[in-house]
Amino acid sequence: MADTDTTSTALDNAFAGVVDALVELMRSGVRPDVLEAQRLLLQRLAQQGDVFPSRVPAPLNITEVGGYLNLLESAGQLDMRASAVASALGVAGPAPGSAALGGVVPVGFVEVANDRPAGAAQASIPPLLSVRADFHAPLQAALAILHASGCTLPLRAPRATLPASQPGATASSLDFELVLAALGRSLEVFPGTLLVDPSTDALAIARPETPATEPLRLVARELDGGTLVAEATWVAVRASATSVANDAPATARYLEVAPVLQAAGWPHPQPLVAPTALVSRGTLVRFVNITGLVAGETTLGNELALLYPPAAIARSAFSALTAWVWDGSSFAAPA
C-alpha cells in the first residue's frame, strides 16, 4: 500500500511539474500560435468546464447520459453535444464556435516596450513598439546592453501592413522601403530625440574631435549623470528645418549604437548618408534586418507567408510578386 501511495505521489508531482512548465510557456510565449492558444484557453475557462457549476444533478447512469445527449441533438446543439461527450471522456472537446488555430501565421508581430526618455518628444513616443516575433529576443538583448550603460534608444517601426493592390500599378513602382516595412525588417530612431540639442538629446549624430576625418556615427548619451560610459570630446551635429551645423567640440559620455544593433542583426543601410536637415535625417538613424534571407533561394512569398494569412497576401499589391527572389540586396523577378 505504501508503494502505491509513493508512486501516486510521484505521478502527481510529475504531472504538476508538467502543468507548471506548460503554464510558464503559455505565459511567456511570444509566437502568434502560442498567443492564439492562450486566447483559446481563456475562452474555454470562460465557457466550459466547472467555471460555471451545473444546475442539474449529475446523471445516475448511462441511460440518463444518453437522455442529455439526445436532448442536445434534438435541439440542434451539435457542438455542445460533442463537448458533453468529450467532457464525459475526460478529453478536450471542440473549441466553442468551431474556433481553432486556423489562419495563425508562423511568426507574426509582437509588442515590446519602447524607450521614452525625457524631452519634448517624449509625449509622442509610443510606449510599445511592434516588431517581428523572430527578431524580438535579439533586439531585446541589444536594448539591454544600452540600458546597462545608462542609455536609451527610442525607436519607431514603419507600419507593417500590406499595400493594397492598385489598378495600373507595376512591379517597378513598388518602393523597396515599402517591402522592408511590410516584412517588419525596418526600424528608425524616433524623430525629435536627436539633432535638436546635443547637450540634452538622448541621442546624437557626432564624431570624435580627433582626427577630423572620423566619420559621423549615431551615439546614445549616458543619462542622469552616470559614469558607465567613458568621457571623450565629441563634435555633435544639430539641425534646423533647412540645414545642419556642427557644435563646438565638447566632452560627453556617448556610446556608439551601430555596433550594438548590428550584433543583433540590425545594421545601418549602406551607403551611410549624413543628415541635411531636421526632417532629412539620412540613414544614420535607420536600421534594416536581412537575417535569414538567402540569395537565390528566399522568395517574397516565403517571407510574406511568415507574417500574413494567404487571403491578405492575395488582396495586396504583392500578390503577383510572390515568386520574386532575394538577390542579396533586394527582391527581383526570377530569371
Side-chain angles (χ1 to χ4, degrees):
M1 186 67 177
D3 291 343
T4 302
D5 291 342
T6 301
T7 302
S8 178
T9 301
L11 288 174
D12 289 343
N13 291 337
F15 180 74
V18 171
V19 171
D20 289 343
L22 288 174
V23 169
E24 176 59 24
L25 174 64
M26 297 299 293
R27 185 187 67 81
S28 60
V30 297
R31 284 176 40 183
D33 51 350
V34 176
L35 297 177
E36 177 66 6
Q38 290 176 350
R39 183 190 69 80
L40 285 178
L41 282 176
L42 290 174
Q43 187 178 44
R44 285 186 182 277
L45 286 174
Q47 298 181 354
Q48 294 180 288
D50 291 332
V51 176
F52 299 102
S54 172
R55 295 186 179 183
V56 298
L60 300 177
N61 50 54
I62 192 62
T63 302
E64 290 192 6
V65 172
Y68 286 132
L69 297 180
N70 290 337
L71 177 63
L72 292 172
E73 183 174 2
S74 62
Q77 299 294 329
L78 300 183
D79 286 348
M80 188 177 295
R81 183 180 187 277
S83 295
V85 173
S87 178
L89 295 175
V91 298
S98 299
L101 297 178
V104 177
V105 294
V107 175
F109 297 89
V110 296
E111 304 290 337
V112 300
N114 200 8
D115 288 337
R116 305 179 76 236
Q122 184 183 60
S124 300
I125 301 173
L128 296 175
L129 180 72
S130 180
V131 300
R132 281 177 55 142
D134 53 344
F135 298 160
H136 168 265
L139 180 61
Q140 288 286 70
L143 294 175
I145 292 173
L146 294 173
H147 296 164
S149 297
C151 302
T152 61
L153 183 62
L155 295 168
R156 71 174 180 181
R159 188 173 296 278
T161 57
L162 291 176
S165 180
Q166 299 292 335
T170 62
S172 60
S173 66
L174 288 177
D175 186 355
F176 182 57
E177 298 300 323
L178 189 66
V179 177
L180 286 178
L183 296 180
R185 292 182 173 272
S186 180
L187 288 175
E188 65 179 18
V189 173
F190 197 87
T193 59
L194 78 171
L195 295 174
V196 179
D197 184 354
S199 65
T200 58
D201 290 341
L203 300 163
I205 290 178
R207 63 168 177 81
E209 180 186 18
T210 56
T213 55
E214 279 288 314
L216 292 172
R217 70 276 321 256
L218 176 67
V219 292
R221 182 169 62 87
E222 184 177 3
L223 303 177
D224 302 325
T227 58
L228 297 172
V229 179
E231 194 172 60
T233 303
W234 293 81
V235 176
V237 175
R238 69 172 66 219
S240 68
T242 58
S243 63
V244 298
N246 292 335
D247 277 4
T251 57
R253 297 183 185 275
Y254 282 149
L255 179 67
E256 290 189 47
V257 174
V260 179
L261 267 291
Q262 183 162 340
W266 292 94
H268 287 307
Q270 298 293 331
L272 287 175
V273 178
T276 57
L278 196 58
V279 176
S280 303
R281 303 186 301 156
T283 61
L284 284 164
V285 299
R286 293 180 50 239
F287 305 93
V288 295
N289 193 319
I290 61 171
T291 58
L293 299 178
V294 180
E297 180 178 318
T298 304
T299 67
L300 182 57
N302 295 150
E303 280 292 295
L304 293 172
L306 295 175
L307 306 169
Y308 304 99
I313 299 172
R315 293 191 301 267
S316 75
F318 297 145
S319 60
L321 311 180
T322 54
W324 283 32
V325 181
W326 178 252
D327 64 6
S329 59
S330 65
F331 288 95

